[in-house]
Amino acid sequence: MKHFLRVLAQFCVFLYCKFLWRTFKFVVRKVTGRCELQRICYNNKPGARRTLKIESSLKFSKSELLQSAVNVHPDLVEKTIDSIMALKKINPDTNPQLGISLQASLLQIVGYRNLVVEVEKLRREPYDCENLEHEEMLLKLWKTLRPESPLSGRISKQWCEIGFQGNDPKTDFRGMGLLGLYNLLYFAEHDKATALQVLHDSLQPKHSNISKIEWEKKKFDKAIGYSFAIVGINITDLAYSLLVSGALKTHLYNVAPEMPSLVHFQQTFCYLMQEFHRFWIEEDPCDIMEFNRVRNRFHKKVLKQLKNPDMALCPHFAASDLHLVNL
């Protein structure tokens, strides 16, 4: 019986989407004199609230032109908007703002798609110790986080001081490839004060009545911190999953006036690092073995925030090169 009701419900939804919704849109257009895209642009403020609805309207349109619009090259966006206006028989002279609004939203849509491709490319590129550029980035990360401590050698136990697991950090980048290194270096360079503070906190004992020297002598497992670099790579994975799943559209459509870029993604990573650090302290885990539990709870918290179409995750933080507004 339950199976039958489920099938019946799915059939009703199919009928609604296939026939009733299109009939409803046709009637509304006749009554208002505006197509769906016009109504979306005129009734919703710029940002995710508008762009998400435009994206959905284009994807589920019966017109091949509108369906393909979300996949056009950025250089063809303006031409595509002209074609859409012509298809919908909208006079650009009497509706000048519509073309501007559609173009801004379509640039966000195709920009997000291109950002996913760019981030995926970095994630798939492995760290190569024979690549001079890769090596320079890694050494720059050390110098930024440990300016007072010269590195004794490329292979050194000192790497553990900034949260790598062994003597050679390249093995820790296997999961996220170069993307992990890009994010860590961006955080260290563009939000240096916060990165240094998070690193400092990650090395401290959990219990304030025990000095760091005593803690190290007794080799306690429990500490307030974690491995800074490893957690950074893990938070990179979290940011990546938010991007690929589309959950990050809400945030990026609200903070990027046009095309979201890699810089926007890296700024988001900086925010997530800061917020995870605060969340870790609030959760007060017994030890690092609880990391996955805390991470999962943090992930759910961020997902919940992103369900709000007016949400911008990082309205104010030092790494931002843009004026971000919490809509």
Side-chain angles (χ1 to χ4, degrees), residues 24-50:
F24 174 74
K25 289 201 299 183
F26 175 79
V27 172
V28 172
R29 173 160 189 171
K30 289 298 181 181
V31 173
T32 63
R34 293 176 176 177
C35 69
E36 185 178 38
L37 292 175
Q38 285 176 297
R39 296 194 300 273
I40 292 173
C41 287
Y42 293 145
N43 297 335
N44 296 276
K45 60 186 179 182
R49 191 176 289 274
R50 175 190 289 175

PDB file of all heavy atoms in Angstrom, residues 24-50:
ATOM      1  N   PHE A  24      -0.135  26.689 -16.061  1.00  0.00           N
ATOM      2  CA  PHE A  24      -0.186  27.798 -15.102  1.00  0.00           C
ATOM      3  C   PHE A  24       0.685  28.960 -15.565  1.00  0.00           C
ATOM      4  O   PHE A  24       0.271  30.127 -15.509  1.00  0.00           O
ATOM      5  CB  PHE A  24       0.272  27.295 -13.730  1.00  0.00           C
ATOM      6  CG  PHE A  24       0.389  28.374 -12.695  1.00  0.00           C
ATOM      7  CD1 PHE A  24      -0.748  28.929 -12.120  1.00  0.00           C
ATOM      8  CD2 PHE A  24       1.637  28.844 -12.302  1.00  0.00           C
ATOM      9  CE1 PHE A  24      -0.643  29.935 -11.165  1.00  0.00           C
ATOM     10  CE2 PHE A  24       1.756  29.842 -11.348  1.00  0.00           C
ATOM     11  CZ  PHE A  24       0.603  30.390 -10.787  1.00  0.00           C
ATOM     12  N   LYS A  25       1.897  28.655 -16.049  1.00  0.00           N
ATOM     13  CA  LYS A  25       2.793  29.702 -16.524  1.00  0.00           C
ATOM     14  C   LYS A  25       2.199  30.431 -17.728  1.00  0.00           C
ATOM     15  O   LYS A  25       2.331  31.649 -17.853  1.00  0.00           O
ATOM     16  CB  LYS A  25       4.156  29.110 -16.909  1.00  0.00           C
ATOM     17  CG  LYS A  25       4.988  28.643 -15.738  1.00  0.00           C
ATOM     18  CD  LYS A  25       6.463  28.540 -16.089  1.00  0.00           C
ATOM     19  CE  LYS A  25       6.711  27.542 -17.187  1.00  0.00           C
ATOM     20  NZ  LYS A  25       8.157  27.401 -17.470  1.00  0.00           N
ATOM     21  N   PHE A  26       1.559  29.675 -18.610  1.00  0.00           N
ATOM     22  CA  PHE A  26       0.928  30.265 -19.797  1.00  0.00           C
ATOM     23  C   PHE A  26      -0.175  31.247 -19.394  1.00  0.00           C
ATOM     24  O   PHE A  26      -0.262  32.364 -19.923  1.00  0.00           O
ATOM     25  CB  PHE A  26       0.358  29.156 -20.683  1.00  0.00           C
ATOM     26  CG  PHE A  26      -0.415  29.665 -21.871  1.00  0.00           C
ATOM     27  CD1 PHE A  26       0.248  30.125 -23.001  1.00  0.00           C
ATOM     28  CD2 PHE A  26      -1.807  29.702 -21.855  1.00  0.00           C
ATOM     29  CE1 PHE A  26      -0.466  30.604 -24.089  1.00  0.00           C
ATOM     30  CE2 PHE A  26      -2.521  30.171 -22.940  1.00  0.00           C
ATOM     31  CZ  PHE A  26      -1.855  30.626 -24.065  1.00  0.00           C
ATOM     32  N   VAL A  27      -0.994  30.829 -18.427  1.00  0.00           N
ATOM     33  CA  VAL A  27      -2.093  31.691 -17.965  1.00  0.00           C
ATOM     34  C   VAL A  27      -1.548  32.951 -17.304  1.00  0.00           C
ATOM     35  O   VAL A  27      -2.024  34.065 -17.564  1.00  0.00           O
ATOM     36  CB  VAL A  27      -3.007  30.913 -16.986  1.00  0.00           C
ATOM     37  CG1 VAL A  27      -4.034  31.858 -16.350  1.00  0.00           C
ATOM     38  CG2 VAL A  27      -3.700  29.765 -17.707  1.00  0.00           C
ATOM     39  N   VAL A  28      -0.523  32.777 -16.433  1.00  0.00           N
ATOM     40  CA  VAL A  28       0.069  33.925 -15.740  1.00  0.00           C
ATOM     41  C   VAL A  28       0.664  34.900 -16.736  1.00  0.00           C
ATOM     42  O   VAL A  28       0.533  36.125 -16.582  1.00  0.00           O
ATOM     43  CB  VAL A  28       1.141  33.462 -14.732  1.00  0.00           C
ATOM     44  CG1 VAL A  28       1.892  34.657 -14.152  1.00  0.00           C
ATOM     45  CG2 VAL A  28       0.501  32.655 -13.618  1.00  0.00           C
ATOM     46  N   ARG A  29       1.305  34.392 -17.778  1.00  0.00           N
ATOM     47  CA  ARG A  29       1.893  35.293 -18.778  1.00  0.00           C
ATOM     48  C   ARG A  29       0.801  36.092 -19.491  1.00  0.00           C
ATOM     49  O   ARG A  29       0.964  37.283 -19.760  1.00  0.00           O
ATOM     50  CB  ARG A  29       2.725  34.508 -19.784  1.00  0.00           C
ATOM     51  CG  ARG A  29       3.202  35.388 -20.936  1.00  0.00           C
ATOM     52  CD  ARG A  29       4.371  34.857 -21.677  1.00  0.00           C
ATOM     53  NE  ARG A  29       4.883  35.869 -22.604  1.00  0.00           N
ATOM     54  CZ  ARG A  29       5.998  35.771 -23.278  1.00  0.00           C
ATOM     55  NH1 ARG A  29       6.762  34.708 -23.122  1.00  0.00           N
ATOM     56  NH2 ARG A  29       6.400  36.725 -24.094  1.00  0.00           N
ATOM     57  N   LYS A  30      -0.295  35.428 -19.809  1.00  0.00           N
ATOM     58  CA  LYS A  30      -1.383  36.121 -20.490  1.00  0.00           C
ATOM     59  C   LYS A  30      -1.987  37.201 -19.598  1.00  0.00           C
ATOM     60  O   LYS A  30      -2.362  38.282 -20.059  1.00  0.00           O
ATOM     61  CB  LYS A  30      -2.469  35.119 -20.897  1.00  0.00           C
ATOM     62  CG  LYS A  30      -2.067  34.189 -22.041  1.00  0.00           C
ATOM     63  CD  LYS A  30      -1.771  34.971 -23.312  1.00  0.00           C
ATOM     64  CE  LYS A  30      -1.398  34.042 -24.461  1.00  0.00           C
ATOM     65  NZ  LYS A  30      -1.080  34.813 -25.696  1.00  0.00           N
ATOM     66  N   VAL A  31      -2.086  36.905 -18.310  1.00  0.00           N
ATOM     67  CA  VAL A  31      -2.684  37.854 -17.371  1.00  0.00           C
ATOM     68  C   VAL A  31      -1.753  39.033 -17.088  1.00  0.00           C
ATOM     69  O   VAL A  31      -2.173  40.199 -17.082  1.00  0.00           O
ATOM     70  CB  VAL A  31      -3.062  37.147 -16.046  1.00  0.00           C
ATOM     71  CG1 VAL A  31      -3.518  38.170 -15.000  1.00  0.00           C
ATOM     72  CG2 VAL A  31      -4.162  36.109 -16.301  1.00  0.00           C
ATOM     73  N   THR A  32      -0.458  38.724 -16.844  1.00  0.00           N
ATOM     74  CA  THR A  32       0.494  39.774 -16.451  1.00  0.00           C
ATOM     75  C   THR A  32       1.185  40.429 -17.634  1.00  0.00           C
ATOM     76  O   THR A  32       1.716  41.539 -17.512  1.00  0.00           O
ATOM     77  CB  THR A  32       1.579  39.193 -15.532  1.00  0.00           C
ATOM     78  OG1 THR A  32       2.336  38.192 -16.253  1.00  0.00           O
ATOM     79  CG2 THR A  32       0.966  38.557 -14.305  1.00  0.00           C
ATOM     80  N   GLY A  33       1.205  39.738 -18.773  1.00  0.00           N
ATOM     81  CA  GLY A  33       1.923  40.267 -19.928  1.00  0.00           C
ATOM     82  C   GLY A  33       3.425  40.091 -19.805  1.00  0.00           C
ATOM     83  O   GLY A  33       4.186  40.702 -20.555  1.00  0.00           O
ATOM     84  N   ARG A  34       3.870  39.250 -18.859  1.00  0.00           N
ATOM     85  CA  ARG A  34       5.297  39.024 -18.649  1.00  0.00           C
ATOM     86  C   ARG A  34       5.602  37.526 -18.657  1.00  0.00           C
ATOM     87  O   ARG A  34       4.829  36.727 -18.128  1.00  0.00           O
ATOM     88  CB  ARG A  34       5.750  39.606 -17.308  1.00  0.00           C
ATOM     89  CG  ARG A  34       5.696  41.127 -17.231  1.00  0.00           C
ATOM     90  CD  ARG A  34       6.068  41.579 -15.842  1.00  0.00           C
ATOM     91  NE  ARG A  34       6.120  43.039 -15.739  1.00  0.00           N
ATOM     92  CZ  ARG A  34       6.356  43.714 -14.618  1.00  0.00           C
ATOM     93  NH1 ARG A  34       6.537  43.024 -13.492  1.00  0.00           N
ATOM     94  NH2 ARG A  34       6.401  45.031 -14.610  1.00  0.00           N
ATOM     95  N   CYS A  35       6.750  37.175 -19.234  1.00  0.00           N
ATOM     96  CA  CYS A  35       7.186  35.787 -19.201  1.00  0.00           C
ATOM     97  C   CYS A  35       7.789  35.476 -17.830  1.00  0.00           C
ATOM     98  O   CYS A  35       7.993  36.374 -17.004  1.00  0.00           O
ATOM     99  CB  CYS A  35       8.208  35.511 -20.304  1.00  0.00           C
ATOM    100  SG  CYS A  35       9.792  36.325 -20.046  1.00  0.00           S
ATOM    101  N   GLU A  36       8.095  34.202 -17.594  1.00  0.00           N
ATOM    102  CA  GLU A  36       8.603  33.800 -16.287  1.00  0.00           C
ATOM    103  C   GLU A  36       9.910  34.504 -15.940  1.00  0.00           C
ATOM    104  O   GLU A  36      10.126  34.925 -14.795  1.00  0.00           O
ATOM    105  CB  GLU A  36       8.810  32.282 -16.250  1.00  0.00           C
ATOM    106  CG  GLU A  36       9.238  31.773 -14.875  1.00  0.00           C
ATOM    107  CD  GLU A  36       9.390  30.268 -14.829  1.00  0.00           C
ATOM    108  OE1 GLU A  36       9.865  29.683 -15.824  1.00  0.00           O
ATOM    109  OE2 GLU A  36       9.042  29.665 -13.791  1.00  0.00           O
ATOM    110  N   LEU A  37      10.813  34.639 -16.913  1.00  0.00           N
ATOM    111  CA  LEU A  37      12.093  35.294 -16.650  1.00  0.00           C
ATOM    112  C   LEU A  37      11.896  36.757 -16.251  1.00  0.00           C
ATOM    113  O   LEU A  37      12.599  37.264 -15.369  1.00  0.00           O
ATOM    114  CB  LEU A  37      12.995  35.208 -17.886  1.00  0.00           C
ATOM    115  CG  LEU A  37      13.508  33.805 -18.249  1.00  0.00           C
ATOM    116  CD1 LEU A  37      14.290  33.845 -19.555  1.00  0.00           C
ATOM    117  CD2 LEU A  37      14.381  33.242 -17.126  1.00  0.00           C
ATOM    118  N   GLN A  38      10.945  37.419 -16.873  1.00  0.00           N
ATOM    119  CA  GLN A  38      10.647  38.805 -16.494  1.00  0.00           C
ATOM    120  C   GLN A  38      10.133  38.878 -15.059  1.00  0.00           C
ATOM    121  O   GLN A  38      10.543  39.738 -14.280  1.00  0.00           O
ATOM    122  CB  GLN A  38       9.605  39.397 -17.442  1.00  0.00           C
ATOM    123  CG  GLN A  38      10.136  39.769 -18.815  1.00  0.00           C
ATOM    124  CD  GLN A  38       9.032  40.254 -19.726  1.00  0.00           C
ATOM    125  OE1 GLN A  38       8.110  39.506 -20.053  1.00  0.00           O
ATOM    126  NE2 GLN A  38       9.113  41.512 -20.141  1.00  0.00           N
ATOM    127  N   ARG A  39       9.229  37.978 -14.725  1.00  0.00           N
ATOM    128  CA  ARG A  39       8.657  37.995 -13.375  1.00  0.00           C
ATOM    129  C   ARG A  39       9.725  37.734 -12.321  1.00  0.00           C
ATOM    130  O   ARG A  39       9.733  38.348 -11.253  1.00  0.00           O
ATOM    131  CB  ARG A  39       7.529  36.958 -13.268  1.00  0.00           C
ATOM    132  CG  ARG A  39       6.329  37.242 -14.181  1.00  0.00           C
ATOM    133  CD  ARG A  39       5.125  36.390 -13.796  1.00  0.00           C
ATOM    134  NE  ARG A  39       5.376  34.960 -13.875  1.00  0.00           N
ATOM    135  CZ  ARG A  39       5.240  34.226 -14.961  1.00  0.00           C
ATOM    136  NH1 ARG A  39       4.854  34.799 -16.104  1.00  0.00           N
ATOM    137  NH2 ARG A  39       5.466  32.922 -14.949  1.00  0.00           N
ATOM    138  N   ILE A  40      10.642  36.808 -12.625  1.00  0.00           N
ATOM    139  CA  ILE A  40      11.716  36.509 -11.676  1.00  0.00           C
ATOM    140  C   ILE A  40      12.603  37.728 -11.464  1.00  0.00           C
ATOM    141  O   ILE A  40      12.931  38.088 -10.328  1.00  0.00           O
ATOM    142  CB  ILE A  40      12.563  35.317 -12.174  1.00  0.00           C
ATOM    143  CG1 ILE A  40      11.743  34.024 -12.143  1.00  0.00           C
ATOM    144  CG2 ILE A  40      13.817  35.152 -11.311  1.00  0.00           C
ATOM    145  CD1 ILE A  40      12.442  32.831 -12.785  1.00  0.00           C
ATOM    146  N   CYS A  41      12.980  38.374 -12.543  1.00  0.00           N
ATOM    147  CA  CYS A  41      13.883  39.530 -12.442  1.00  0.00           C
ATOM    148  C   CYS A  41      13.220  40.708 -11.743  1.00  0.00           C
ATOM    149  O   CYS A  41      13.870  41.411 -10.962  1.00  0.00           O
ATOM    150  CB  CYS A  41      14.349  39.952 -13.839  1.00  0.00           C
ATOM    151  SG  CYS A  41      15.538  38.813 -14.582  1.00  0.00           S
ATOM    152  N   TYR A  42      11.950  40.918 -11.996  1.00  0.00           N
ATOM    153  CA  TYR A  42      11.263  42.076 -11.419  1.00  0.00           C
ATOM    154  C   TYR A  42      10.836  41.841  -9.967  1.00  0.00           C
ATOM    155  O   TYR A  42      10.678  42.790  -9.204  1.00  0.00           O
ATOM    156  CB  TYR A  42      10.048  42.446 -12.268  1.00  0.00           C
ATOM    157  CG  TYR A  42      10.400  42.972 -13.648  1.00  0.00           C
ATOM    158  CD1 TYR A  42       9.592  42.700 -14.747  1.00  0.00           C
ATOM    159  CD2 TYR A  42      11.546  43.731 -13.845  1.00  0.00           C
ATOM    160  CE1 TYR A  42       9.909  43.179 -16.012  1.00  0.00           C
ATOM    161  CE2 TYR A  42      11.879  44.203 -15.097  1.00  0.00           C
ATOM    162  CZ  TYR A  42      11.059  43.932 -16.184  1.00  0.00           C
ATOM    163  OH  TYR A  42      11.384  44.400 -17.429  1.00  0.00           O
ATOM    164  N   ASN A  43      10.643  40.591  -9.593  1.00  0.00           N
ATOM    165  CA  ASN A  43      10.109  40.290  -8.256  1.00  0.00           C
ATOM    166  C   ASN A  43      11.159  39.828  -7.246  1.00  0.00           C
ATOM    167  O   ASN A  43      10.829  39.569  -6.092  1.00  0.00           O
ATOM    168  CB  ASN A  43       9.015  39.217  -8.357  1.00  0.00           C
ATOM    169  CG  ASN A  43       7.816  39.693  -9.163  1.00  0.00           C
ATOM    170  OD1 ASN A  43       7.560  40.887  -9.258  1.00  0.00           O
ATOM    171  ND2 ASN A  43       7.102  38.763  -9.772  1.00  0.00           N
ATOM    172  N   ASN A  44      12.411  39.697  -7.682  1.00  0.00           N
ATOM    173  CA  ASN A  44      13.460  39.214  -6.783  1.00  0.00           C
ATOM    174  C   ASN A  44      14.681  40.126  -6.859  1.00  0.00           C
ATOM    175  O   ASN A  44      15.078  40.554  -7.947  1.00  0.00           O
ATOM    176  CB  ASN A  44      13.878  37.787  -7.154  1.00  0.00           C
ATOM    177  CG  ASN A  44      12.768  36.780  -6.981  1.00  0.00           C
ATOM    178  OD1 ASN A  44      12.538  36.274  -5.894  1.00  0.00           O
ATOM    179  ND2 ASN A  44      12.051  36.496  -8.058  1.00  0.00           N
ATOM    180  N   LYS A  45      15.269  40.401  -5.706  1.00  0.00           N
ATOM    181  CA  LYS A  45      16.454  41.246  -5.665  1.00  0.00           C
ATOM    182  C   LYS A  45      17.656  40.492  -6.223  1.00  0.00           C
ATOM    183  O   LYS A  45      17.665  39.249  -6.260  1.00  0.00           O
ATOM    184  CB  LYS A  45      16.729  41.699  -4.235  1.00  0.00           C
ATOM    185  CG  LYS A  45      16.973  40.575  -3.251  1.00  0.00           C
ATOM    186  CD  LYS A  45      17.096  41.119  -1.829  1.00  0.00           C
ATOM    187  CE  LYS A  45      17.309  39.996  -0.824  1.00  0.00           C
ATOM    188  NZ  LYS A  45      17.394  40.507   0.557  1.00  0.00           N
ATOM    189  N   PRO A  46      18.692  41.202  -6.664  1.00  0.00           N
ATOM    190  CA  PRO A  46      19.889  40.536  -7.194  1.00  0.00           C
ATOM    191  C   PRO A  46      20.525  39.613  -6.169  1.00  0.00           C
ATOM    192  O   PRO A  46      20.439  39.840  -4.966  1.00  0.00           O
ATOM    193  CB  PRO A  46      20.821  41.716  -7.518  1.00  0.00           C
ATOM    194  CG  PRO A  46      19.922  42.894  -7.662  1.00  0.00           C
ATOM    195  CD  PRO A  46      18.790  42.666  -6.710  1.00  0.00           C
ATOM    196  N   GLY A  47      21.162  38.573  -6.664  1.00  0.00           N
ATOM    197  CA  GLY A  47      21.803  37.613  -5.779  1.00  0.00           C
ATOM    198  C   GLY A  47      21.253  36.218  -5.978  1.00  0.00           C
ATOM    199  O   GLY A  47      20.607  35.921  -6.990  1.00  0.00           O
ATOM    200  N   ALA A  48      21.481  35.367  -4.994  1.00  0.00           N
ATOM    201  CA  ALA A  48      21.104  33.959  -5.118  1.00  0.00           C
ATOM    202  C   ALA A  48      19.606  33.774  -5.299  1.00  0.00           C
ATOM    203  O   ALA A  48      19.167  32.905  -6.048  1.00  0.00           O
ATOM    204  CB  ALA A  48      21.581  33.187  -3.889  1.00  0.00           C
ATOM    205  N   ARG A  49      18.820  34.573  -4.605  1.00  0.00           N
ATOM    206  CA  ARG A  49      17.362  34.415  -4.698  1.00  0.00           C
ATOM    207  C   ARG A  49      16.897  34.529  -6.141  1.00  0.00           C
ATOM    208  O   ARG A  49      16.037  33.780  -6.600  1.00  0.00           O
ATOM    209  CB  ARG A  49      16.669  35.456  -3.823  1.00  0.00           C
ATOM    210  CG  ARG A  49      15.182  35.226  -3.643  1.00  0.00           C
ATOM    211  CD  ARG A  49      14.599  36.245  -2.689  1.00  0.00           C
ATOM    212  NE  ARG A  49      15.042  36.001  -1.317  1.00  0.00           N
ATOM    213  CZ  ARG A  49      14.433  35.169  -0.487  1.00  0.00           C
ATOM    214  NH1 ARG A  49      13.387  34.477  -0.888  1.00  0.00           N
ATOM    215  NH2 ARG A  49      14.880  35.013   0.742  1.00  0.00           N
ATOM    216  N   ARG A  50      17.475  35.479  -6.874  1.00  0.00           N
ATOM    217  CA  ARG A  50      17.103  35.674  -8.279  1.00  0.00           C
ATOM    218  C   ARG A  50      17.789  34.655  -9.185  1.00  0.00           C
ATOM    219  O   ARG A  50      17.133  34.017 -10.023  1.00  0.00           O
ATOM    220  CB  ARG A  50      17.464  37.093  -8.733  1.00  0.00           C
ATOM    221  CG  ARG A  50      17.228  37.334 -10.228  1.00  0.00           C
ATOM    222  CD  ARG A  50      17.821  38.660 -10.678  1.00  0.00           C
ATOM    223  NE  ARG A  50      17.054  39.774 -10.151  1.00  0.00           N
ATOM    224  CZ  ARG A  50      17.405  41.056 -10.314  1.00  0.00           C
ATOM    225  NH1 ARG A  50      18.518  41.353 -10.960  1.00  0.00           N
ATOM    226  NH2 ARG A  50      16.653  42.026  -9.821  1.00  0.00           N
TER     227      ARG A  50
END
